[in-house]
Amino acid sequence: MLFKARTRRSRIVIAVATAAATVLAVAVTLALTVTTYDHTSPRAARAEASGSVAGSDDCRKAKCVALSFDGGPSPTTPRLLDILKQQGLHATFFVQGRGHISKYPDILHRIAAEGHEIGNHTWTHPRLTDLDEDDVRQELTRTQNAIERITGTKPVLMRPPEGRTNRKVAKVCRNLGLAQVLWSVTAKDYETTDSALITKRVLDQTHRDGIILLHDLHKGTVPAVPGIIKALKQRGYTIVTVSQLLAPAKPQPGMVYRP
């Protein structure tokens, strides 16, 4: 009986040790695969920076929100640019290569000429986390070069498709001088053409220091923009670009900025 009891205790100890080792292995794996890149918020970035802010929009004092558009340029972009010009506002455009920069270089040139911020949204819009390092670099470099040819300047910001990033993507971005920009507000305007619904979704989610994600290529989005701008102004928001939201901090290559 004593032998059997000891055997049972040994089995229990072994089982507990095995379970503990499994939990530890899972924790290490998660640490390596989930928390694999440096990230911060616009507010935290500003708090750690010093110096003055160029222009009149100081988001340390003002109630700011950044307005950004993905996936263009597209045939609907000129109307959006007209609206922003009428409102005296600038936005951040994360532009895509194939079928967009390559097809509408004149629109991209106009975006830059009118003072908007331009970011990199890859060439073919893949999930960068599914690619190897060389392919990630190619997706971003090809877009960087195309933007520079048209505007004369390479972006310092990028937005990973679907917001998917990891240590590998961060490494490539760091080497290319690109900071990564995520978002806090999405209207999921790729799901609907209802401009009123798009407006409601944006306004329901917007808070100070947020980053709004819209797509200027979808049918219902551009018609929603005037109402979004009007409502945000009525609520006391100052609408800025991503870099203005971060100022006086400068975008750091490889860093992920998310509100």
Side-chain angles (χ1 to χ4, degrees):
M1 293 295 292
L2 180 60
F3 174 77
K4 290 182 179 179
R6 286 177 177 174
T7 301
R8 283 197 298 269
R9 284 198 296 270
S10 297
R11 288 174 178 171
I12 292 170
V13 170
I14 291 170
V16 170
T18 301
T22 301
V23 170
L24 179 60
V26 170
V28 170
T29 300
L30 288 173
L32 292 174
T33 59
V34 178
T35 310
T36 57
Y37 51 81
D38 293 329
H39 59 87
T40 190
S41 68
R43 179 178 297 179
R46 291 197 310 265
E48 295 176 0
S50 60
S52 59
V53 173
S56 58
D57 297 327
D58 187 341
C59 295
R60 294 173 298 186
K61 303 173 184 177
K63 182 183 173 184
C64 291
V65 63
L67 183 60
S68 67
F69 297 90
D70 284 9
S74 298
T76 49
T77 306
R79 175 56 186 149
L80 173 60
L81 293 172
D82 290 343
I83 293 167
L84 294 172
K85 188 174 183 179
Q86 291 166 3
Q87 295 288 334
L89 297 175
H90 293 103
T92 302
F93 288 81
F94 291 95
V95 296
Q96 189 175 318
R98 187 173 69 188
H100 296 276
I101 296 173
S102 60
K103 193 172 183 180
Y104 305 107
D106 291 345
I107 300 177
L108 180 62
H109 186 271
R110 181 184 168 186
I111 292 171
E114 294 187 0
H116 299 285
E117 184 169 47
I118 296 175
N120 186 325
H121 198 44
T122 75
W123 191 258
T124 64
H125 202 264
R127 291 181 178 178
L128 296 179
T129 51
D130 292 344
L131 304 182
D132 63 32
E133 191 172 310
D134 288 341
D135 287 339
V136 173
R137 184 176 294 104
Q138 183 177 6
E139 279 284 335
L140 294 172
T141 300
R142 188 174 183 184
T143 311
Q144 289 286 91
N145 293 340
I147 293 170
E148 185 180 28
R149 282 195 300 270
I150 295 166
T151 70
T153 305
K154 283 185 178 180
V156 297
L157 303 178
M158 66 84 71
R159 175 167 283 156
E162 300 181 15
R164 293 176 183 264
T165 189
N166 57 18
R167 181 164 44 195
K168 169 187 62 186
V169 176
K171 176 185 175 182
V172 174
C173 288
R174 186 164 53 251
N175 292 338
L176 294 177
L178 289 165
Q180 304 180 75
V181 180
L182 302 186
W183 59 89
S184 57
V185 180
T186 174
K188 296 185 178 179
D189 50 355
Y190 47 83
E191 294 180 345
T192 180
T193 59
D194 187 338
S195 297
L197 178 58
I198 292 169
T199 300
K200 182 179 185 303
R201 286 175 173 175
V202 169
L203 298 178
D204 285 349
Q205 297 174 58
T206 298
H207 300 283
R208 183 174 183 176
D209 293 326
I211 299 176
I212 298 170
L213 164 61
L214 293 168
H215 298 80
D216 45 316
L217 69 163
H218 295 310
K219 185 177 180 180
T221 302
V222 173
V225 170
I228 291 171
I229 291 172
K230 181 179 179 181
L232 290 175
K233 286 184 173 181
Q234 289 174 341
R235 297 182 183 190
Y237 286 101
T238 297
I239 300 171
V240 297
T241 66
V242 169
S243 288
Q244 287 175 317
L245 186 66
L246 299 178
K250 303 292 185 184
Q252 297 301 306
M255 180 69 76
V256 173
Y257 293 91
R258 61 187 193 197

